[in-house]
Amino acid sequence: MEKFEGYIFTALCSTNFLISCLIFSRVTREQREPYMDEIFHVPQAQKYCHGKFNEWDPMITTLPGLYLVSVGVIKPVVWLADLTGAVVCSTAMLRFINLLFNCGNLYLLYLLICKLHLREKTRTTSRRVLSALSLSTFPVLYFFNFLYYTDAGSTFFILFTYLMTLYGCHKASAFLGVCSVLFRQTNIIWVAFCTGTLVAAKMDEAWRLEHTKKRDEKSPLSQVPLSFSGAKKVVLFTLEFLTSPSHVKAVLLVAWPYAVVGVGFLVFVVLNDGIVVGDRTSHEACLNFPQLFYFFSFALFFSLPVSLCYHRVLRFLHALKRQPLFFLFITGVSLLLVWKFTLVHRYLLADNRHFPFYVWNRLFQRHELVRFLLVPAYVFAGWNFLDSFKSRSLFWSLAFLACLLAATVPQKLLEFRYFIVPYLMYRLHMPLPSLPRLTVEFLLYTAVNAATLYIFISKTFHWPNSAATQRFMW
């Protein structure tokens, strides 16, 4: 970082931490006891604090990464400050760990933006800094900085893993990938994405070499036609690449640390008889293809200030005019997927403390036809999503889409928290938006954060059969 930019970013980090601490203080005063999933996470972490590493709550579905990191941070602080009593590993102390992850996420997002947008290095100091700040306040992620959930730490280790991949530190990246899996098992998908970026880079290189030899054929990867012949060409090239010993060797020489992580994860799945650690009946894998459509809609809403513009809408209309049969085919497939593969988790229908409950209840359950009427909006949201990647190579885009499918489709529960990492990856790889657009994005995120935190703190309610105070949350 340049010296001036370093001063700005340091001041920004300090201000962000101070404001987050003030919000944290208010949230903790209002909700002192563990809430929602904290009723499982907090007692488990407290067991670890007391050295009871062989005790495990069977309702917890994730590995103990959050608890191990919490104890690893809190125990030295407790020893240095000579703290005793209830404050040690209290709910507030444990929640504070996520504020530290919030600071780390802000820094990692900034470093990733600098690395991913090297060509835009000049005259973009304010845009890089504001992009990092805006993404660190991404509403679904920011809310869980104030509760003892796995999201902040999980996101931190995935971002760190990807940053090390971009810098070519693959052993460190693989180790951090293991840490991310200890927070949430599905993070193995994003470790695979890091591997996929390396494979995509090798394939891009092989594609260029192959077509530079054919002087009469100019076929840059970004200009492969969107047609059956273009798809056939890419598939044949991919098969040729993956069956070539020299290409496979070149990939393995770089990506072997990730392969070790992958093999280790497969061993865990076999020994554990599945990916989920506990409460398996509520977290069974399935084929819920509309989850991808929900994600596209989610991404469109939160990226609206930076992704959508008049010219992009015009391009979409021109694309419709040029390829009506293609879009008709996509719409037909989408309707079929919505019809045959829409699955609804019982938690979504029963728990009125989560915002997705109201999205489903007020929108999708108004009429049976609503889910089909939304398909054109899904098609546009998906096109907008893919159009943002037009500057990326085809093989990189295919790797990302494969990981996106793996991260969303098997989930039966509509849970916005599952969209955090794929959304951040999507947003990070978009071209750097202009300063006015970034300002609007930051204001949108700030408004949503203010609204959700206000609702959580102030709009409490009670269930008829329970005296406990209930709160609305993501």
Side-chain angles (χ1 to χ4, degrees), residues 332-398:
V333 171
S334 301
L335 287 168
L336 179 64
L337 293 176
V338 168
W339 178 35
K340 290 294 185 181
F341 292 95
T342 296
L343 301 174
V344 186
H345 200 289
R346 65 179 187 274
Y347 287 175
L348 181 62
L349 299 176
D351 196 336
N352 66 342
R353 294 171 293 182
H354 289 295
F355 295 140
F357 169 88
Y358 296 95
V359 172
W360 196 266
N361 186 266
R362 304 280 173 85
L363 182 61
F364 289 93
Q365 288 192 317
R366 279 187 173 273
H367 195 278
E368 287 186 3
L369 291 178
V370 168
R371 58 184 176 140
F372 299 106
L373 294 174
L374 289 172
V375 165
Y378 296 154
V379 172
F380 173 72
W383 180 89
N384 182 71
F385 183 87
L386 295 174
D387 190 63
S388 301
F389 287 148
K390 63 181 181 180
S391 61
R392 299 285 164 182
S393 79
L394 177 63
F395 294 123
W396 184 95
S397 300
L398 289 174

Coordinates of all heavy atoms in Angstrom, one line a residue, residues 332-398:
G332 N -37.9 -22.3 -20.3 CA -38.6 -23.6 -20.2 C -37.9 -24.5 -19.2 O -38.6 -25.2 -18.4
V333 N -36.6 -24.6 -19.3 CA -35.9 -25.4 -18.3 C -36.1 -24.9 -16.9 O -36.3 -25.7 -15.9 CB -34.4 -25.5 -18.7 CG1 -33.6 -26.1 -17.6 CG2 -34.2 -26.2 -20.0
S334 N -36.1 -23.6 -16.7 CA -36.3 -23.0 -15.4 C -37.6 -23.3 -14.8 O -37.8 -23.7 -13.7 CB -36.1 -21.5 -15.5 OG -34.8 -21.2 -15.9
L335 N -38.7 -23.2 -15.7 CA -40.0 -23.6 -15.3 C -40.1 -25.0 -14.8 O -40.7 -25.4 -13.8 CB -41.0 -23.3 -16.4 CG -41.3 -21.9 -16.7 CD1 -42.1 -21.8 -18.0 CD2 -42.2 -21.2 -15.6
L336 N -39.4 -25.9 -15.6 CA -39.4 -27.3 -15.2 C -38.7 -27.6 -13.9 O -39.2 -28.3 -13.0 CB -38.7 -28.1 -16.3 CG -38.6 -29.6 -16.1 CD1 -40.0 -30.3 -16.1 CD2 -37.7 -30.3 -17.2
L337 N -37.6 -26.9 -13.7 CA -36.9 -27.0 -12.4 C -37.7 -26.5 -11.2 O -37.7 -27.1 -10.1 CB -35.5 -26.3 -12.5 CG -34.5 -26.9 -13.5 CD1 -33.3 -26.0 -13.5 CD2 -34.1 -28.3 -13.1
V338 N -38.4 -25.4 -11.4 CA -39.2 -24.9 -10.4 C -40.4 -25.8 -10.1 O -40.8 -26.0 -8.9 CB -39.8 -23.5 -10.8 CG1 -40.9 -23.0 -9.8 CG2 -38.6 -22.4 -10.8
W339 N -41.0 -26.4 -11.1 CA -42.1 -27.3 -11.0 C -41.7 -28.6 -10.2 O -42.4 -29.0 -9.3 CB -42.7 -27.6 -12.3 CG -43.8 -28.6 -12.3 CD1 -44.8 -28.7 -11.4 CD2 -44.1 -29.5 -13.4 NE1 -45.7 -29.7 -11.8 CE2 -45.3 -30.2 -13.0 CE3 -43.5 -29.9 -14.6 CZ2 -45.8 -31.2 -13.7 CZ3 -44.1 -30.9 -15.3 CH2 -45.2 -31.6 -14.9
K340 N -40.6 -29.2 -10.6 CA -40.3 -30.5 -10.2 C -39.3 -30.5 -9.0 O -39.3 -31.5 -8.2 CB -39.6 -31.3 -11.3 CG -40.6 -31.7 -12.4 CD -41.7 -32.7 -11.9 CE -42.6 -33.2 -13.0 NZ -43.6 -34.2 -12.5
F341 N -38.6 -29.5 -8.7 CA -37.5 -29.5 -7.7 C -37.7 -28.5 -6.6 O -36.7 -28.3 -5.8 CB -36.2 -29.4 -8.4 CG -35.8 -30.5 -9.3 CD1 -36.0 -30.5 -10.6 CD2 -35.2 -31.7 -8.7 CE1 -35.7 -31.6 -11.5 CE2 -34.9 -32.7 -9.6 CZ -35.1 -32.7 -10.9
T342 N -38.8 -27.8 -6.5 CA -39.0 -26.9 -5.4 C -39.2 -27.6 -4.1 O -40.2 -28.4 -4.0 CB -40.1 -25.9 -5.7 OG1 -39.8 -25.1 -6.8 CG2 -40.4 -25.0 -4.4
L343 N -38.3 -27.5 -3.2 CA -38.4 -28.2 -1.9 C -38.5 -27.1 -0.8 O -37.8 -26.1 -0.8 CB -37.2 -29.1 -1.7 CG -37.0 -30.2 -2.7 CD1 -35.7 -31.0 -2.5 CD2 -38.2 -31.2 -2.7
V344 N -39.3 -27.4 0.2 CA -39.5 -26.5 1.3 C -39.1 -27.2 2.7 O -39.8 -28.2 3.0 CB -40.9 -25.9 1.4 CG1 -41.0 -24.8 2.4 CG2 -41.3 -25.4 0.0
H345 N -38.1 -26.6 3.3 CA -37.7 -27.2 4.6 C -38.8 -26.8 5.7 O -39.3 -25.7 5.7 CB -36.4 -26.6 5.0 CG -35.6 -27.4 6.0 ND1 -36.0 -27.5 7.4 CD2 -34.5 -28.2 5.9 CE1 -35.2 -28.3 8.0 NE2 -34.3 -28.7 7.2
R346 N -39.0 -27.7 6.6 CA -39.9 -27.5 7.7 C -39.6 -26.3 8.6 O -40.4 -25.6 9.1 CB -40.1 -28.7 8.6 CG -38.9 -29.2 9.4 CD -39.3 -30.4 10.2 NE -38.2 -30.8 11.1 CZ -37.2 -31.5 10.8 NH1 -37.1 -32.0 9.5 NH2 -36.2 -31.8 11.7
Y347 N -38.3 -26.0 8.7 CA -37.8 -24.8 9.5 C -38.3 -23.5 8.8 O -38.7 -22.6 9.5 CB -36.3 -24.8 9.6 CG -35.7 -25.8 10.5 CD1 -34.3 -25.9 10.6 CD2 -36.5 -26.7 11.3 CE1 -33.7 -26.9 11.5 CE2 -35.9 -27.6 12.1 CZ -34.5 -27.7 12.2 OH -34.0 -28.6 13.1
L348 N -38.3 -23.5 7.5 CA -38.7 -22.3 6.8 C -40.2 -22.0 7.0 O -40.6 -20.8 7.2 CB -38.5 -22.5 5.3 CG -38.8 -21.3 4.4 CD1 -38.0 -20.1 4.7 CD2 -38.6 -21.7 2.9
L349 N -41.0 -23.0 7.2 CA -42.4 -22.8 7.4 C -42.8 -22.6 8.8 O -43.8 -22.0 9.1 CB -43.2 -24.1 6.9 CG -43.0 -24.4 5.4 CD1 -43.8 -25.7 5.0 CD2 -43.6 -23.2 4.5
A350 N -41.9 -23.0 9.8 CA -42.3 -23.0 11.2 C -41.7 -21.9 12.0 O -42.3 -21.5 13.0 CB -41.9 -24.4 11.8
D351 N -40.5 -21.4 11.6 CA -39.8 -20.5 12.5 C -40.0 -19.0 12.0 O -39.4 -18.6 11.0 CB -38.3 -20.8 12.5 CG -37.6 -20.2 13.6 OD1 -38.1 -19.1 14.1 OD2 -36.5 -20.7 14.1
N352 N -40.8 -18.3 12.6 CA -41.2 -16.9 12.2 C -40.2 -15.9 12.8 O -40.5 -14.7 12.7 CB -42.6 -16.6 12.6 CG -42.8 -16.5 14.1 OD1 -42.0 -17.0 14.9 ND2 -43.9 -15.8 14.5
R353 N -39.0 -16.3 13.2 CA -38.0 -15.4 13.7 C -37.1 -15.0 12.6 O -36.3 -14.0 12.8 CB -37.2 -16.0 14.9 CG -38.1 -16.2 16.1 CD -37.3 -17.0 17.2 NE -37.1 -18.4 16.8 CZ -36.5 -19.3 17.5 NH1 -36.1 -19.0 18.7 NH2 -36.3 -20.5 17.1
H354 N -37.1 -15.7 11.5 CA -36.1 -15.4 10.4 C -36.8 -14.7 9.2 O -38.0 -15.0 8.9 CB -35.6 -16.8 9.9 CG -34.6 -17.4 10.8 ND1 -33.4 -16.9 11.2 CD2 -34.7 -18.6 11.5 CE1 -32.8 -17.7 12.0 NE2 -33.6 -18.7 12.2
F355 N -36.1 -13.8 8.6 CA -36.6 -13.0 7.5 C -37.1 -13.9 6.3 O -38.1 -13.6 5.7 CB -35.6 -12.0 7.0 CG -35.4 -10.9 8.0 CD1 -34.1 -10.4 8.2 CD2 -36.4 -10.4 8.8 CE1 -33.9 -9.4 9.2 CE2 -36.2 -9.4 9.8 CZ -34.9 -8.9 10.0
P356 N -36.3 -15.0 6.0 CA -36.8 -15.9 4.9 C -38.2 -16.4 5.1 O -38.9 -16.7 4.1 CB -35.7 -17.0 4.9 CG -34.5 -16.4 5.4 CD -35.0 -15.4 6.5
F357 N -38.6 -16.6 6.4 CA -40.0 -17.1 6.7 C -41.0 -16.1 6.0 O -42.0 -16.5 5.4 CB -40.2 -17.2 8.2 CG -41.6 -17.4 8.6 CD1 -42.1 -18.7 8.7 CD2 -42.4 -16.3 8.9 CE1 -43.4 -18.9 9.1 CE2 -43.7 -16.5 9.2 CZ -44.3 -17.8 9.3
Y358 N -40.7 -14.8 6.2 CA -41.7 -13.8 5.7 C -41.6 -13.7 4.2 O -42.6 -13.4 3.5 CB -41.4 -12.5 6.4 CG -41.7 -12.6 7.9 CD1 -40.7 -12.9 8.8 CD2 -43.0 -12.5 8.4 CE1 -40.9 -13.1 10.1 CE2 -43.3 -12.7 9.7 CZ -42.2 -13.0 10.6 OH -42.5 -13.2 11.9
V359 N -40.4 -13.8 3.6 CA -40.3 -13.8 2.1 C -41.1 -15.0 1.6 O -41.8 -14.8 0.6 CB -38.8 -14.0 1.7 CG1 -38.7 -14.2 0.2 CG2 -37.9 -12.8 2.2
W360 N -41.0 -16.1 2.2 CA -41.7 -17.3 1.6 C -43.2 -17.1 1.9 O -44.1 -17.4 1.0 CB -41.2 -18.6 2.3 CG -41.7 -19.8 1.5 CD1 -42.8 -20.5 1.8 CD2 -41.0 -20.4 0.4 NE1 -42.9 -21.6 0.9 CE2 -41.8 -21.5 0.0 CE3 -39.9 -20.0 -0.3 CZ2 -41.5 -22.3 -1.1 CZ3 -39.5 -20.8 -1.4 CH2 -40.3 -21.9 -1.8
N361 N -43.6 -16.7 3.1 CA -45.0 -16.6 3.5 C -45.7 -15.5 2.7 O -46.8 -15.7 2.3 CB -45.0 -16.3 5.0 CG -46.4 -16.4 5.5 OD1 -47.1 -15.3 5.6 ND2 -46.9 -17.6 5.9
R362 N -45.1 -14.3 2.6 CA -45.7 -13.2 2.0 C -45.6 -13.2 0.4 O -46.4 -12.5 -0.2 CB -45.1 -11.9 2.5 CG -45.1 -11.8 4.0 CD -46.5 -11.3 4.6 NE -46.5 -11.4 6.0 CZ -46.1 -10.4 6.8 NH1 -45.5 -9.3 6.3 NH2 -46.2 -10.6 8.1
L363 N -44.7 -13.9 -0.1 CA -44.5 -13.9 -1.6 C -44.9 -15.2 -2.2 O -45.8 -15.3 -3.0 CB -43.1 -13.5 -1.9 CG -42.7 -13.4 -3.4 CD1 -43.5 -12.3 -4.0 CD2 -41.2 -13.1 -3.6
F364 N -44.2 -16.3 -1.9 CA -44.3 -17.6 -2.5 C -45.6 -18.3 -2.2 O -46.2 -19.0 -3.0 CB -43.2 -18.5 -2.2 CG -41.9 -18.0 -2.9 CD1 -41.0 -17.2 -2.2 CD2 -41.6 -18.5 -4.2 CE1 -39.8 -16.8 -2.8 CE2 -40.4 -18.1 -4.8 CZ -39.5 -17.2 -4.1
Q365 N -46.1 -18.0 -1.0 CA -47.4 -18.7 -0.6 C -48.6 -17.9 -0.9 O -49.7 -18.3 -0.5 CB -47.3 -19.1 0.9 CG -46.3 -20.2 1.2 CD -46.4 -20.7 2.6 OE1 -46.6 -19.9 3.6 NE2 -46.4 -22.0 2.8
R366 N -48.5 -16.8 -1.5 CA -49.7 -16.1 -1.9 C -50.6 -16.8 -2.9 O -51.8 -16.8 -2.8 CB -49.3 -14.7 -2.5 CG -49.0 -13.7 -1.5 CD -48.8 -12.3 -2.2 NE -48.6 -11.3 -1.2 CZ -49.6 -10.6 -0.6 NH1 -50.9 -10.9 -0.9 NH2 -49.4 -9.7 0.3
H367 N -49.9 -17.5 -3.8 CA -50.6 -18.3 -4.8 C -49.6 -19.3 -5.4 O -48.4 -19.1 -5.5 CB -51.2 -17.5 -5.9 CG -52.2 -18.2 -6.8 ND1 -51.9 -19.0 -7.8 CD2 -53.6 -18.1 -6.7 CE1 -53.0 -19.5 -8.4 NE2 -54.0 -19.0 -7.7
E368 N -50.1 -20.5 -5.8 CA -49.3 -21.5 -6.4 C -48.5 -21.1 -7.6 O -47.4 -21.6 -8.0 CB -50.1 -22.8 -6.7 CG -50.5 -23.6 -5.5 CD -51.2 -24.9 -5.8 OE1 -51.3 -25.2 -7.0 OE2 -51.7 -25.6 -4.9
L369 N -49.1 -20.1 -8.4 CA -48.5 -19.7 -9.6 C -47.4 -18.7 -9.4 O -46.6 -18.4 -10.4 CB -49.6 -19.0 -10.5 CG -50.6 -20.0 -11.1 CD1 -51.7 -19.2 -11.9 CD2 -50.0 -21.1 -12.0
V370 N -47.2 -18.1 -8.2 CA -46.2 -17.1 -8.0 C -44.8 -17.6 -8.3 O -44.0 -16.9 -9.0 CB -46.3 -16.6 -6.5 CG1 -45.1 -15.7 -6.2 CG2 -47.5 -15.8 -6.3
R371 N -44.5 -18.8 -7.9 CA -43.2 -19.3 -8.1 C -42.9 -19.5 -9.6 O -41.7 -19.3 -10.0 CB -43.0 -20.7 -7.4 CG -43.9 -21.8 -7.8 CD -43.7 -23.0 -7.0 NE -44.7 -24.0 -7.3 CZ -44.4 -25.3 -7.4 NH1 -43.2 -25.7 -7.2 NH2 -45.3 -26.2 -7.6
F372 N -43.9 -19.7 -10.5 CA -43.7 -19.8 -11.9 C -43.6 -18.4 -12.5 O -42.9 -18.1 -13.5 CB -44.8 -20.6 -12.5 CG -44.9 -22.0 -12.1 CD1 -45.9 -22.4 -11.2 CD2 -43.9 -22.9 -12.4 CE1 -46.0 -23.7 -10.7 CE2 -44.0 -24.2 -12.0 CZ -45.0 -24.6 -11.1
L373 N -44.4 -17.4 -12.0 CA -44.4 -16.1 -12.5 C -43.1 -15.4 -12.3 O -42.8 -14.4 -13.0 CB -45.6 -15.3 -11.9 CG -47.0 -15.8 -12.3 CD1 -48.0 -15.0 -11.5 CD2 -47.2 -15.6 -13.8
L374 N -42.3 -15.8 -11.3 CA -41.1 -15.2 -11.0 C -39.9 -15.7 -11.9 O -38.8 -15.1 -11.9 CB -40.7 -15.5 -9.5 CG -41.5 -14.8 -8.5 CD1 -41.2 -15.3 -7.1 CD2 -41.3 -13.3 -8.5
V375 N -40.2 -16.7 -12.7 CA -39.1 -17.3 -13.6 C -38.5 -16.2 -14.5 O -37.3 -16.2 -14.6 CB -39.6 -18.5 -14.4 CG1 -38.7 -18.9 -15.5 CG2 -39.8 -19.7 -13.4
P376 N -39.3 -15.4 -15.2 CA -38.6 -14.3 -16.0 C -37.6 -13.5 -15.2 O -36.6 -13.1 -15.8 CB -39.8 -13.5 -16.6 CG -40.9 -14.5 -16.6 CD -40.7 -15.3 -15.4
A377 N -38.0 -13.1 -14.0 CA -37.1 -12.4 -13.2 C -35.8 -13.2 -12.8 O -34.7 -12.6 -12.8 CB -37.8 -12.0 -11.9
Y378 N -36.0 -14.5 -12.6 CA -34.8 -15.3 -12.4 C -33.9 -15.3 -13.6 O -32.7 -15.3 -13.4 CB -35.3 -16.8 -12.1 CG -36.1 -17.0 -10.8 CD1 -37.0 -18.1 -10.8 CD2 -36.0 -16.1 -9.7 CE1 -37.7 -18.3 -9.6 CE2 -36.7 -16.3 -8.6 CZ -37.6 -17.4 -8.5 OH -38.3 -17.7 -7.4
V379 N -34.5 -15.4 -14.8 CA -33.7 -15.4 -16.0 C -32.9 -14.1 -16.1 O -31.7 -14.2 -16.5 CB -34.6 -15.6 -17.2 CG1 -33.8 -15.5 -18.5 CG2 -35.2 -17.0 -17.2
F380 N -33.6 -13.0 -15.9 CA -32.8 -11.7 -16.0 C -31.7 -11.7 -14.9 O -30.6 -11.2 -15.2 CB -33.8 -10.6 -15.8 CG -33.1 -9.2 -15.7 CD1 -32.4 -8.7 -16.8 CD2 -33.0 -8.6 -14.5 CE1 -31.7 -7.5 -16.8 CE2 -32.3 -7.4 -14.4 CZ -31.7 -6.8 -15.5
A381 N -32.1 -12.1 -13.7 CA -31.1 -12.0 -12.6 C -29.9 -12.9 -12.9 O -28.7 -12.5 -12.7 CB -31.7 -12.5 -11.3
G382 N -30.1 -14.1 -13.5 CA -29.1 -15.0 -13.9 C -28.2 -14.4 -15.0 O -27.0 -14.5 -15.0
W383 N -28.9 -13.8 -16.0 CA -28.1 -13.2 -17.1 C -27.3 -12.0 -16.5 O -26.1 -11.9 -16.9 CB -29.1 -12.6 -18.1 CG -28.4 -12.0 -19.3 CD1 -28.0 -12.5 -20.4 CD2 -28.1 -10.6 -19.4 NE1 -27.4 -11.6 -21.2 CE2 -27.4 -10.4 -20.6 CE3 -28.2 -9.5 -18.5 CZ2 -26.9 -9.1 -21.0 CZ3 -27.8 -8.2 -18.9 CH2 -27.1 -8.1 -20.2
N384 N -27.8 -11.2 -15.7 CA -27.1 -10.1 -15.1 C -25.9 -10.6 -14.3 O -24.8 -10.0 -14.4 CB -28.0 -9.3 -14.1 CG -27.3 -8.1 -13.5 OD1 -27.0 -7.1 -14.2 ND2 -27.0 -8.2 -12.2
F385 N -26.1 -11.7 -13.6 CA -25.0 -12.3 -12.8 C -23.8 -12.7 -13.7 O -22.7 -12.4 -13.5 CB -25.5 -13.5 -12.0 CG -24.6 -14.2 -11.1 CD1 -24.3 -13.8 -9.8 CD2 -23.8 -15.3 -11.6 CE1 -23.4 -14.4 -9.0 CE2 -22.9 -15.9 -10.8 CZ -22.7 -15.5 -9.5
L386 N -24.2 -13.5 -14.8 CA -23.2 -14.0 -15.7 C -22.5 -12.9 -16.5 O -21.3 -12.9 -16.9 CB -23.8 -15.0 -16.7 CG -24.3 -16.3 -16.0 CD1 -25.0 -17.2 -17.0 CD2 -23.2 -17.0 -15.3
D387 N -23.3 -11.8 -16.8 CA -22.8 -10.7 -17.6 C -21.7 -10.0 -16.9 O -20.8 -9.4 -17.5 CB -23.9 -9.8 -18.0 CG -23.4 -8.7 -19.0 OD1 -23.1 -9.1 -20.2 OD2 -23.4 -7.5 -18.7
S388 N -21.7 -10.0 -15.5 CA -20.7 -9.4 -14.7 C -19.4 -10.0 -14.8 O -18.3 -9.5 -14.5 CB -21.2 -9.4 -13.3 OG -22.4 -8.7 -13.1
F389 N -19.4 -11.3 -15.3 CA -18.1 -12.1 -15.5 C -17.6 -12.1 -16.9 O -16.7 -12.9 -17.2 CB -18.4 -13.5 -15.0 CG -18.5 -13.7 -13.5 CD1 -19.3 -14.7 -13.0 CD2 -17.8 -12.8 -12.6 CE1 -19.5 -14.8 -11.6 CE2 -18.0 -13.0 -11.3 CZ -18.8 -14.0 -10.8
K390 N -18.1 -11.2 -17.7 CA -17.7 -11.3 -19.2 C -16.2 -11.0 -19.3 O -15.6 -11.5 -20.3 CB -18.5 -10.4 -20.0 CG -18.4 -8.9 -19.7 CD -19.3 -8.1 -20.6 CE -19.1 -6.6 -20.3 NZ -20.0 -5.8 -21.1
S391 N -15.6 -10.3 -18.4 CA -14.2 -10.1 -18.5 C -13.3 -11.3 -18.0 O -12.1 -11.3 -18.2 CB -13.8 -8.8 -17.7 OG -14.1 -9.0 -16.3
R392 N -13.9 -12.2 -17.4 CA -13.2 -13.4 -16.9 C -13.2 -14.5 -18.0 O -14.1 -14.5 -18.8 CB -13.9 -14.0 -15.6 CG -13.9 -13.0 -14.5 CD -12.6 -12.9 -13.8 NE -12.5 -11.7 -13.0 CZ -11.4 -11.3 -12.3 NH1 -10.3 -12.0 -12.4 NH2 -11.4 -10.2 -11.6
S393 N -12.2 -15.4 -17.9 CA -12.1 -16.4 -18.9 C -13.3 -17.4 -18.7 O -13.9 -17.5 -17.6 CB -10.8 -17.2 -18.8 OG -10.8 -18.1 -17.7
L394 N -13.6 -18.1 -19.8 CA -14.7 -19.1 -19.8 C -14.4 -20.2 -18.7 O -15.3 -20.6 -18.0 CB -14.9 -19.7 -21.1 CG -15.9 -20.8 -21.2 CD1 -17.3 -20.2 -20.9 CD2 -16.0 -21.4 -22.6
F395 N -13.2 -20.7 -18.7 CA -12.9 -21.8 -17.8 C -13.0 -21.4 -16.3 O -13.4 -22.1 -15.4 CB -11.5 -22.4 -18.1 CG -11.4 -23.1 -19.4 CD1 -10.5 -22.7 -20.4 CD2 -12.3 -24.1 -19.8 CE1 -10.5 -23.3 -21.6 CE2 -12.3 -24.7 -21.0 CZ -11.4 -24.3 -21.9
W396 N -12.5 -20.1 -16.0 CA -12.7 -19.6 -14.7 C -14.2 -19.5 -14.3 O -14.6 -19.9 -13.2 CB -12.0 -18.2 -14.6 CG -12.1 -17.7 -13.2 CD1 -11.1 -17.7 -12.2 CD2 -13.2 -17.0 -12.5 NE1 -11.5 -17.1 -11.1 CE2 -12.7 -16.7 -11.2 CE3 -14.4 -16.6 -12.9 CZ2 -13.6 -16.0 -10.3 CZ3 -15.2 -15.9 -12.0 CH2 -14.8 -15.6 -10.8
S397 N -15.0 -19.0 -15.2 CA -16.4 -18.8 -15.0 C -17.1 -20.2 -14.8 O -17.9 -20.3 -13.9 CB -17.1 -18.1 -16.2 OG -16.5 -16.8 -16.4
L398 N -16.7 -21.2 -15.5 CA -17.2 -22.5 -15.4 C -16.9 -23.1 -14.0 O -17.7 -23.8 -13.4 CB -16.7 -23.5 -16.5 CG -17.3 -23.2 -17.9 CD1 -16.6 -24.1 -18.9 CD2 -18.8 -23.4 -17.9

